[in-house]
Amino acid sequence: LGFDEVTASSLLKVDIEGNVVDAGNSSGLLFRQGYVIHSAVHNAREDAECVWHCHHPDVVAVSMLESGVLPLSQEALFVYDYMSYHPFEGSATDVDERERIVQSLGQANKVLMMDNHGPLTVGSSIEEAFRYMHYICRACEYQVKAMSMSGGETEKMRIPNDDCVEKMLERVKQSNQQGYDVQSLMFQRMVRKMEAIYGTDNIYC
């Protein structure tokens, strides 16, 4: 199935060992790469209620750069202090890689940039994981455009200085402690958008 063809009943439910416990409508097989990546984090992080991974073209492109994510935008700074990197090991089908993925992610980070592969986000809820994924995707979209316009030369880009970055990171921490449930509002907005595009009858079936 294509991603736009997936419905609620076509989802698989698996245990931590990769055994299918609910095959849904049996429209597809277990995607092993997805199992290896997600099970690694679910097994190691008690706060990992949701682990989100995608292959957004701009994030994958940035994951191929030695510089990684640059602190160019507000979105980049939102994830900057909660992000780590994992070296490329291939197609992520080796169960042994799970331990190394966990080590790279750490016990507190929310975003893992998998080199030459793409982003992974962790949340204590679906909404939180979505929020971090939204920000890392938007940050990389901006970065790819900026690097394209500057010919990849960082000296032609307005990269905030260290003092500015530190001040912004402090503001991010303060905003995260205010208790305003931005992530739920963001996620609900996206749900409404998807329902309007695809129709509820084509999603919840």
Side-chain angles (χ1 to χ4, degrees):
L1 295 175
F3 287 121
D4 60 342
E5 297 176 295
V6 173
T7 65
S9 60
S10 58
L11 296 175
L12 297 178
K13 184 177 182 179
V14 301
D15 62 20
I16 202 66
E17 300 301 328
N19 301 306
V20 176
V21 297
D22 186 344
N25 61 14
S26 300
S27 58
L29 301 174
L30 174 66
F31 183 59
R32 185 166 180 79
Q33 290 95 321
Y35 159 70
V36 169
I37 293 171
H38 290 79
S39 65
V41 182
H42 279 298
N43 196 41
R45 291 270 297 263
E46 292 185 1
D47 63 320
E49 290 295 324
C50 179
V51 180
W52 203 309
H53 173 61
C54 76
H55 289 190
H56 188 291
D58 290 330
V59 192
V60 175
V62 171
S63 77
M64 297 173 179
L65 300 175
E66 285 291 342
S67 65
V69 179
L70 296 172
L72 294 170
S73 63
Q74 295 177 73
E75 287 81 1
L77 289 168
F78 183 85
V79 302
Y80 206 67
D81 252 7
Y82 305 93
M83 180 171 59
S84 54
Y85 293 82
H86 178 67
F88 185 59
E89 294 192 29
S91 59
T93 56
D94 183 1
V95 175
D96 291 339
E97 188 180 356
R98 292 191 295 181
E99 182 177 348
R100 295 185 291 277
I101 290 173
V102 170
Q103 290 175 345
S104 296
L105 176 63
Q107 290 301 310
N109 287 329
K110 297 292 186 177
V111 179
L112 180 67
M113 285 289 282
M114 304 181 74
D115 293 352
N116 302 77
H117 189 161
L120 177 149
T121 63
V122 181
S124 58
S125 64
I126 294 173
E127 292 85 353
E128 184 182 27
F130 168 78
R131 184 185 187 189
Y132 280 100
M133 184 61 75
H134 172 79
Y135 281 131
I136 189 62
C137 289
R138 184 60 61 87
C140 290
E141 287 174 355
Y142 290 151
Q143 181 170 328
V144 167
K145 291 179 186 296
M147 297 189 79
S148 297
M149 295 176 69
S150 66
E153 299 180 40
T154 55
E155 60 269 18
K156 293 183 179 180
M157 299 163 63
R158 293 195 180 103
I159 301 177
N161 60 40
D162 292 344
D163 184 56
C164 181
V165 169
E166 286 302 317
K167 289 179 179 178
M168 285 298 298
L169 292 177
E170 184 58 34
R171 290 178 188 175
V172 169
K173 292 177 181 178
Q174 291 175 1
S175 67
N176 285 339
Q177 294 169 359
Q178 289 178 352
Y180 186 61
D181 196 6
V182 174
Q183 53 209 26
S184 291
L185 296 175
M186 291 174 62
F187 184 73
Q188 290 163 11
R189 163 64 185 123
M190 185 56 67
V191 169
R192 293 194 301 272
K193 183 177 182 179
M194 292 299 99
E195 289 176 343
I197 294 173
Y198 296 104
T200 56
D201 291 343
N202 295 319
I203 298 174
Y204 309 114
C205 62

